Amino acid sequence: MFDKVKRLFKKGNQEEIDEYVFVTEKEMNEDLKEIILKLERIGEKCGTDLQKKYVNKFKLQGKLNLRIWVCRDIDGDEDENLTSEQCFEKEYRSQLVIDYDGTKFEDDFYAYYVPLWYYFGGYFKGSGTLYDLSQKNLKTLLNG
């Protein structure tokens, strides 16, 4: 998926990147919440910057109305009132979404997305996956 995202912004060979950490429910605390909040803020800033930078280039390729933003949902239900403060609700997911009008590579709901945080759980226990900012730079990933 990341290769396809990177191809949107640059040409050349891409390498596969593993940039996620697994988080157990025991590790979910206020420190982790701050990391998630920071990650989503960086995602929002990254999306705004990239959208400004590439909107005209996308338009020239017939990809109209480029929009890059942090999308939050719980169990697939998007809600604009949903905030990072709810990141420990089961099935909460945040992702940096790239979408536009026009031909897309896949038949997904959005053209591309980069998962930031996902808290999944069963009846009694939960765990999550988190984009690892300590190892990877989100803006570099997308900008190439």
Side-chain angles (χ1 to χ4, degrees), residues 34-95:
E34 284 302 315
I35 291 169
I36 294 167
L37 293 170
K38 177 182 176 184
L39 176 60
E40 291 185 4
R41 281 192 304 270
I42 290 170
E44 289 167 351
K45 174 77 171 117
C46 217
T48 301
D49 292 348
L50 290 171
Q51 185 172 320
K52 287 177 187 175
K53 181 177 179 178
Y54 289 105
V55 69
N56 290 328
K57 292 178 184 179
F58 272 58
K59 205 177 280 189
L60 290 172
Q61 297 175 15
K63 300 171 184 174
L64 306 176
N65 300 316
L66 174 65
R67 185 170 172 227
I68 305 173
W69 75 103
V70 172
C71 176
R72 296 173 182 88
D73 68 67
I74 293 182
D75 199 22
D77 296 328
E78 289 182 39
D79 182 352
E80 290 189 18
N81 296 321
L82 193 59
T83 68
S84 303
E85 292 294 323
Q86 295 156 299
C87 64
F88 290 152
E89 287 189 34
K90 288 191 179 182
E91 303 305 324
Y92 174 95
R93 174 178 56 178
S94 61
Q95 45 194 350

Side-chain angles (χ1 to χ4, degrees), residues 20-24 28 36 39 92 94 115-120 127-132:
Y20 291 90
V21 292
F22 181 77
V23 178
T24 65
M28 293 183 199
I36 294 167
L39 176 60
Y92 174 95
S94 61
L116 301 175
W117 165 248
Y118 180 44
Y119 176 37
F120 47 92
S127 55
T129 54
L130 178 70
Y131 184 87
D132 189 0

